[in-house]
Amino acid sequence: KAGVTQTPRYLIKTRGQQVTLSCSPISGHRSVSWYQQTPGQGLQFLFEYFSETQRNKGNFPGRFSGRQFSNSRSEMNVSTLELGDSALYLCASSLLTGDTQYFGPGTRLTVL
Amino acid sequence: SQQGEEDPQALSIQEGENATMNCSYKTSINNLQWYRQNSGRGLVHLILIRSNEREKHSGRLRVTLDTSKKSSSLLITASRAADTASYFCATEKGGGNKLTFGTGTQLKVEL
């Protein structure tokens, strides 16, 4: 089975722009979660989608949003980018609730 | 916010030695998972241990969980240079697949 894939792998944007990141889960997995990793804050949970519904949400401003499609693929969007949004964004998928989460390689976002 | 701390923050050992990392957390959990990360890449899942389990093994890895002390440990036996990475514990409290990560331990295994 193919693993979790994320596109693009690297992205450079300027302040004020918006960005969309994509995640394709492992085939059959309906849960997709997103995490942000920065040197200062570590790994932080953004949100989780299950069967196209947002099931959990972390403590991030409304500029961070996401969605999930009927094929379980997920996108996250960050509007009005700030320098502090520079981070590695990781996506994970899971077959069941409370089960192992499998992570993708991440998207490295740099905001200039 | 992070669920807890990992100890030590950094660990340097010689190849062939054992490495032990500890993780403490703050609230009741459904399960605890250990991950490895190489140089800012994606996370690789190592072991999941559920709240009703006390110990699990996988190859050279041994994980223990003490829910009364809200702590877990990861033991890597006979370390190899390829084990050099950052190791994170993550807890899941139930109600979905939201993981709360620890601060991580940077392990360096020298030849």
Side-chain angles (χ1 to χ4, degrees):
Chain A
K1 261 187 184 175
V4 177
T5 59
Q6 292 186 245
T7 56
R9 293 291 311 278
Y10 302 91
L11 207 48
I12 299 175
K13 292 285 187 179
T14 56
R15 278 182 299 175
Q17 287 187 311
Q18 75 164 14
V19 67
T20 299
L21 311 181
S22 180
C23 171
S24 292
I26 292 172
S27 177
H29 287 195
R30 290 193 293 166
S31 168
V32 174
S33 300
W34 289 89
Y35 297 83
Q36 181 198 64
Q37 185 176 28
T38 60
Q41 299 298 316
L43 280 152
Q44 295 193 290
F45 172 81
L46 280 156
F47 27 66
E48 181 210 359
Y49 286 87
F50 185 85
S51 293
E52 301 180 66
T53 301
Q54 188 180 84
R55 187 160 67 171
N56 282 292
K57 190 177 188 308
N59 295 324
F60 279 82
R63 300 185 297 106
F64 291 82
S65 63
R67 59 179 176 167
Q68 187 180 33
F69 301 95
S70 58
N71 62 357
S72 293
R73 190 177 69 85
S74 177
E75 289 181 348
M76 68 163 279
N77 183 276
V78 187
S79 62
T80 319
L81 284 166
E82 301 177 359
L83 295 178
D85 297 334
S86 293
L88 180 66
Y89 289 89
L90 294 161
C91 161
S93 77
S94 182
L95 180 62
L96 301 169
T97 299
D99 203 357
T100 298
Q101 290 194 43
Y102 297 92
F103 282 78
T107 294
R108 172 77 61 185
L109 171 65
T110 302
V111 182
L112 302 175
Chain B
S1 62
Q2 251 125 12
Q3 163 76 288
E5 302 261 329
E6 286 179 64
D7 168 53
Q9 286 190 321
L11 180 60
S12 183
I13 60 174
Q14 298 294 311
E15 200 171 47
E17 295 181 334
N18 295 343
T20 299
M21 288 159 261
N22 302 296
C23 165
S24 62
Y25 56 91
K26 298 174 183 173
T27 64
S28 297
I29 62 171
N30 188 41
N31 68 61
L32 185 145
Q33 303 182 38
W34 284 91
Y35 288 88
R36 184 185 77 227
Q37 185 178 42
N38 292 84
S39 302
R41 298 181 186 173
L43 298 168
V44 175
H45 184 262
L46 299 175
I47 286 185
L48 179 153
I49 186 166
R50 301 195 185 279
S51 60
N52 61 351
E53 298 174 309
R54 291 297 167 257
E55 187 171 313
K56 280 189 91 167
H57 296 255
S58 176
R60 294 183 296 112
L61 308 180
R62 172 179 168 251
V63 167
T64 60
L65 179 64
D66 186 335
T67 53
S68 66
K69 294 181 179 178
K70 292 186 171 58
S71 67
S72 174
S73 68
L74 169 67
L75 168 67
I76 304 174
T77 59
S79 296
R80 306 165 181 168
D83 294 327
T84 295
S86 293
Y87 291 81
F88 294 91
C89 67
T91 55
E92 193 266 306
K93 295 195 293 186
N97 287 322
K98 174 182 175 180
L99 290 177
T100 305
F101 282 85
T103 50
T105 293
Q106 284 187 305
L107 172 66
K108 184 175 182 181
V109 182
E110 299 184 272
L111 295 168

